[in-house]
Every structure is written in C-alpha cells, then in structure tokens.
C-alpha cells in the first residue's frame, strides 16, 4: 500500500513538474524579450550610438585644434671658429642646447563651406543609423511574429492530430468489439490499428517540428534554447488593411526607401564638399612659446624669450591636374545614381505591397471558406461515426470521412497562418508593425 502511494506521489510530482515547466509565452512578452536581448538589435543600437558620437562640430572640422609642444635638443661639438677680425677660437666639447615649449592654436576659418556640408552629412549619417536600427527592429520583430504564429499553427495541427488519434482509437475499439461478437473480421481490426499507427506517426513528426520551431524562437529571443513554453491557441487576423493607406505609410516610413532618400541627400552634400575645393582656405594660427638657447661659442652664449605668436594663412587652388573637374563629375554621377535608386526602391516597395495585398485578400476569403468547410466536415464525420458504430458503413468510408475532417482542420489552420504572414509582410513594408 505504501509502495503504491509512493509511486502515485512520484507520478504526480513528475506531472506537476512538466506542467509548470511550460510557461505560456504571449506575443507581447516575446517581442519585449527580443527588443532587450536580440543580438542583431543590440548591434544596430551600438551602430546608432557610433553615428551619434561622430556627429559633432569637431569631427566636421569647425573647431580649432590646440596642441602643447616641447622641443629639447642638445649637442657636443669640437668647434673651431674664425671671426671677422681674424681671431681663431677652438673649443673641444663645445656644448649647445635649445629648449622650446609652448601652446599653439590652429583654426580653419573658411574652406569654401566644406565644414558646414560635412556637419550636415554627419547629421544624415546619424539619421541613417536611426533608419538602420528601425529596419533591424522591423525585420527581427517580424521574424518573432512569424515564428510565434507558426507555433500557434503547429499547436492547432497537433490538436487536430489529437482529434484524429481519438477518433482512430474509437474506431479500433469499435472494430474490436464487433470482431468479438462476430460481426467483423480480423482484417477490419488490423486496418483500424494500422490507421491509428499512421495517425500517431504524423503526430510525432508534428511534435518534432514544434520543438524545432520553439528552439528557433528562443534563438531569436537570445535566451536559453532549451526553455520550454506554450503559445496562445488562436491566430488573430487584422482584416481591415487598406492598400492605399499602406502605400501612403510605406512612402513615409519604409526603412529601405528612407535609406535611399538619406543616401541621395548625402550625395548632394558630398557634391557641395567637392565643389568647396574651388575656393580658398583661410586659417588662423596663434600660440604662446618659451625659448631658451645656450652655446659655448659665438657672440651670444645664452638667450631666452617668451611671448605670443599669431598670424593668418591663405591658400588658393589654381591647378591640380584637372582633378577638381573630375571629382565634381563623379559626385554628380553619384547623385544621379542616388536619385535613380530612390525611384527603383519606390517601384519595388509598391510592387511588393500590391502583390502581398492581393495574396492577403485571397487568403482572407480562403479562411472563410475553410472555416465553413471544417464545420461541414465535422458534421459529416459525426454522421459517419454514428453509422459506423451500428455497422451500416464500411471502415473505408469512415476513414475517408475522418481524413476529410482532419484535412479540413489543417487547411483552415494553414489559411489563417498564411493570411497572418501576408498581414505581417504588409505592415513590415509599410513600416507600421506594432512593437
């Protein structure tokens, strides 16, 4: 008695452990975890920080540079000097030293407005980093959406397989009972058992696929891939999408298109920077220096001084082997390419939206059809099962009705999933996927 109680307790503990180990992961929770943990998102965030750090007045060349300098030189020479009056002086090991130190400032005052164009370009690079981050977020969160609803679909199909197994088990039991009382042959029992095994095999393969997809979602969430969990049981579909509204959103928000627009603006600024090479460069320099020199020979054996130095320098480009003209032509071609790239990307995005929206509408209609078909197949199966139990229907006809019902369930689940995929694709293209 004690042994049986202990065995029952162990079984209950094992059941409880399995039950509570599987958390129910909602879509919102999965998205939040991905936003915090996903490696690609972390990398994109750091790239944005790099762009933000580089966007400074100093990096654009608009601020002066200040340097502290020190030069200390010494020499020991064997020196012989002949002065103007004919006197000759000779010194062995004449020592000479020079010490110069101070602070210097260099500041570019004018460079053809190149520095201002570069500052605007750095601002664009920061915007590009923001757009790149948004693109990464959309792509990775879209992957989370797709994988999550794939799991929902697979759970639904496993549920359909469970139903198939239950029905097949009823058929096995019925066939066995009929065989026992002599109203059915052994062949009918064997056929029922073969079909049950076939259904069980399909279920096992479906469970394996479910486990693989869970591992993939854990990878996207950048957490332990062995964490087990459940997802929600239903696919929620937004059937209110409008193609015209999606096109407007995509024109304003699609990250690929925004990247091309930023690239064009950057090409315009690059052309400005190249054209700045035609103008003079004006620089201001200033400093405060201290000098001290000593010499064993000469009219002055020691001197020192300190004070401020300042001045302005200017350089005017006159000729550089026609490289200025060449650079401007290249910059103009690059600007033309950037303009063409925008038009190309607009065409691609609008084509993708139109195609995906057509598939979205088709699958919305399929969902309604398969939902109705599932109800009909269920009604047909109930009638068939009742007839089979009283022996007025063959096992082949019953198996056909059973398979029709299971296939209807699977098609309904697939139609929902495919519709959701196109919904996610449309929202991603429009830059409007909820995060």
């Amino acid at each position: 008695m004690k042994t049986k109680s202990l065995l029952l307790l162990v079984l209950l503990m094992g059941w409880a452990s399995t039950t509570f180990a599987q958390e129910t992961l909602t879509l919102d929770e999965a998205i939040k975890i991905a936003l915090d943990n996903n490696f690609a998102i972390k990398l994109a965030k750091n790239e944005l920080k790099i762009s933000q750090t580089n966007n400074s007045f100093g990096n654009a060349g608009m601020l002066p540079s200040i340097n502290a300098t020190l030069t200390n030189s010494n020499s020991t020479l064997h020196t012989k000097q002949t002065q103007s009056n004919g006197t000759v002086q000779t010194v062995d090991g004449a020592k000479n030293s020079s010490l110069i130190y101070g602070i210097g400032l260099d500041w570019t005052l004018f460079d053809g407005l190149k520095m201002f164009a570069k500052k605007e370009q750095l601002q664009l690079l920061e915007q590009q980093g923001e757009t790149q981050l948004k693109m990464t977020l959309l792509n990775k969160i879209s992957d989370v959406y797709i994988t999550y609803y794939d799991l929902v679909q697979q759970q639904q199909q496993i549920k359909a397989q469970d139903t198939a197994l239950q029905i097949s088990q009823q058929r096995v039991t019925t066939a066995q009972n009929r065989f026992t009382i002599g109203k059915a042959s052994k062949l009918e029992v064997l056929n029922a058992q073969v079909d049950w095994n076939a259904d069980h095999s399909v279920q096992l393969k479906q469970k394996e696929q479910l486990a693989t997809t869970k591992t993939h979602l854990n990878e996207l969430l950048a957490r332990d891939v062995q964490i087990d969990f459940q997802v929600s049981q239903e696919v929620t579909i937004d059937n209110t999408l409008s193609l015209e509204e999606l096109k407007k959103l995509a024109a304003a928000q699609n990250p690929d298109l925004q990247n091309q627009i930023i690239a064009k603006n950057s090409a315009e600024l690059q052309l400005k920077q190249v054209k700045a090479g035609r103008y003079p460069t004006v620089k201001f320099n200033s400093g405060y220096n201290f000098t001290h020199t000593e010499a064993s020979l000469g009219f002055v054996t020691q001197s020192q001084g300190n004070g401020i130095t300042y001045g302005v320098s200017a350089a005017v480009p006159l000729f550089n082997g026609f490289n200025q003209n060449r650079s401007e032509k290249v910059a103009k071609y690059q600007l033309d390419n950037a303009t063409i790239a925008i038009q190309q990307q607009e065409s691609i995005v609008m084509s993708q939206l139109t195609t995906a929206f057509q598939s979205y509408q088709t699958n919305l209609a399929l969902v309604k059809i398969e939902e109705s078909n599932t109800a009909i197949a269920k009604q047909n199966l109930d009638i068939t099962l009742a007839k089979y139990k009283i022996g007025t229907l063959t096992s082949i006809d019953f198996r056909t009705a059973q398979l029709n019902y299971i296939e209807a369930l699977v098609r309904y689940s697939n139609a929902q999933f495919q519709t959701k995929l196109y919904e996610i694709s449309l929202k991603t293209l429009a830059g409007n996927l909820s995060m």
Side-chain angles (χ1 to χ4, degrees):
M1 185 68 181
K2 290 182 178 179
T3 303
K4 290 184 178 180
S5 299
L6 182 60
L7 179 60
L8 180 59
L9 179 61
V10 170
L11 289 173
L12 287 173
M13 289 177 64
W15 173 83
S17 171
T18 304
T19 302
F20 293 110
Q22 286 194 338
E23 61 169 321
T24 299
L25 180 68
T26 67
L27 179 59
D28 288 342
E29 289 171 344
I31 292 172
K32 183 178 183 302
I33 294 171
L35 290 173
D36 292 336
N37 294 354
N38 184 267
F39 296 119
I41 293 175
K42 285 183 176 180
L43 289 172
K45 287 179 178 178
N46 280 338
E47 289 297 328
L48 174 58
K49 290 176 182 178
I50 291 172
S51 299
Q52 291 171 335
T53 303
N54 285 331
N55 183 18
S56 65
F57 291 101
N59 195 26
M62 303 174 74
L63 299 179
S65 61
I66 301 174
N67 299 293
T69 60
L70 184 146
T71 304
N72 184 12
S73 59
N74 299 275
S75 64
T76 301
L77 303 172
H78 298 291
T79 306
K80 180 180 179 180
Q81 289 184 350
T82 301
Q83 299 179 352
S84 60
N85 60 4
T87 303
V88 177
Q89 290 184 336
T90 302
V91 177
D92 291 333
K95 294 182 178 180
N96 300 285
S97 65
S98 174
L99 175 64
I100 304 173
Y101 61 88
I103 296 177
L105 178 146
D106 292 301
W107 196 349
T108 300
L109 300 179
F110 181 78
D111 61 355
L113 304 179
K114 180 179 179 180
M115 64 180 76
F116 294 97
K118 186 174 182 181
K119 181 63 175 68
E120 289 183 58
Q121 195 172 43
L122 290 172
Q123 180 66 37
L124 282 177
L125 288 175
E126 181 179 337
Q127 292 177 13
Q128 192 174 46
E130 293 172 350
T131 304
Q132 191 64 41
L133 174 58
K134 183 177 180 181
M135 184 187 303
T136 303
L137 287 171
L138 281 172
N139 290 336
K140 293 305 171 183
I141 297 306
S142 173
D143 289 344
V144 171
Y145 267 90
I146 291 170
T147 308
Y148 187 89
Y149 281 110
D150 190 10
L151 286 172
V152 175
Q153 176 212 27
Q154 290 181 40
Q155 281 189 170
Q156 290 176 341
Q157 294 192 2
I158 288 176
K159 187 177 180 180
Q161 294 302 327
D162 288 340
T163 302
L165 275 175
Q166 291 174 5
I167 296 171
S168 292
Q169 184 58 53
Q170 290 183 44
R171 179 184 163 199
V172 170
T173 303
T174 302
Q176 186 65 50
N177 291 338
R178 292 175 63 188
F179 173 72
T180 302
I181 60 177
K183 288 188 176 182
S185 66
K186 184 65 176 179
L187 181 61
E188 183 176 337
V189 177
L190 294 176
N191 284 334
Q193 290 175 340
V194 167
D195 289 339
W196 185 92
N197 287 336
D199 292 338
H200 192 205
S201 176
V202 171
Q203 186 193 54
L204 289 176
K205 290 179 180 178
Q206 187 65 59
K207 286 183 176 180
E208 178 188 5
Q209 185 180 352
L210 180 70
T212 301
T213 308
K214 283 184 179 181
T215 300
H216 178 54
L217 182 57
N218 281 329
E219 180 187 356
L220 285 173
L221 304 185
R223 64 179 190 173
D224 186 352
V225 295
Q226 294 184 338
I227 294 177
D228 198 8
F229 58 91
Q230 293 180 337
V231 294
S232 62
Q233 300 298 319
E234 296 181 0
V235 176
T236 55
I237 298 172
D238 184 357
N239 58 4
T240 63
L241 299 183
S242 161
L243 181 58
E244 293 305 315
E245 184 64 28
L246 289 168
K247 286 182 176 180
K248 290 179 183 178
L249 289 172
Q253 298 180 172
N254 181 270
D256 291 315
L257 186 56
Q258 293 304 307
N259 260 340
Q260 295 298 341
I261 294 172
I262 291 173
K264 175 179 177 291
N265 294 336
S266 182
E268 290 175 346
L269 293 171
Q270 184 62 35
L271 178 59
K272 285 185 180 180
Q273 292 183 60
V274 172
K275 286 183 175 180
R278 292 186 177 275
Y279 297 93
T281 301
V282 180
K283 294 184 178 182
F284 171 76
N285 58 80
S286 179
Y288 186 89
N289 295 310
F290 174 86
T291 63
H292 178 83
T293 60
E294 292 184 4
S296 298
L297 288 176
F299 292 105
V300 180
T301 59
Q302 181 177 348
S303 70
Q304 67 179 37
N306 62 285
I308 298 174
T309 61
Y310 55 90
V312 176
S313 63
V316 181
L318 299 178
F319 180 75
N320 65 350
F322 303 109
N323 283 325
Q324 180 64 35
N325 291 337
R326 177 188 58 78
S327 297
E328 287 184 17
K329 284 183 179 179
V330 170
K332 287 178 181 178
Y333 290 141
Q334 290 173 336
L335 179 57
D336 288 341
N337 282 343
T339 303
I340 294 170
I342 290 177
Q343 296 170 349
Q344 181 185 38
Q345 191 62 44
E346 284 178 340
S347 177
I348 291 172
V349 170
M350 296 308 162
S351 174
Q352 290 175 335
L353 274 174
T354 302
T355 303
F357 191 78
Q358 289 171 348
S359 299
Y360 163 76
Q361 287 186 310
T362 299
N363 279 276
L364 277 178
L366 285 174
V367 168
K368 292 181 180 179
I369 292 172
E370 296 301 342
E371 183 180 17
S372 173
N373 203 36
T374 300
I376 294 171
K378 178 65 169 65
Q379 185 179 4
N380 181 57
L381 177 64
D382 291 340
I383 295 172
T384 304
L385 179 59
K387 288 185 176 181
Y388 176 74
K389 286 181 177 180
I390 61 176
T392 60
L393 196 73
T394 66
S395 60
I396 295 176
D397 291 335
F398 174 73
R399 181 62 175 174
T400 300
Q402 179 189 10
L403 291 177
N404 285 341
Y405 175 59
I406 300 305
E407 288 171 3
L409 287 174
V410 172
R411 286 199 308 273
Y412 178 45
S413 175
N414 286 337
Q416 288 181 306
F417 180 56
Q418 290 299 320
T419 307
K420 193 64 183 182
L421 287 184
Y422 287 113
E423 176 198 325
I424 294 168
S425 177
L426 287 167
K427 290 182 177 179
T428 301
L429 287 169
N432 197 40
L433 188 65
S434 175
M435 298 187 194

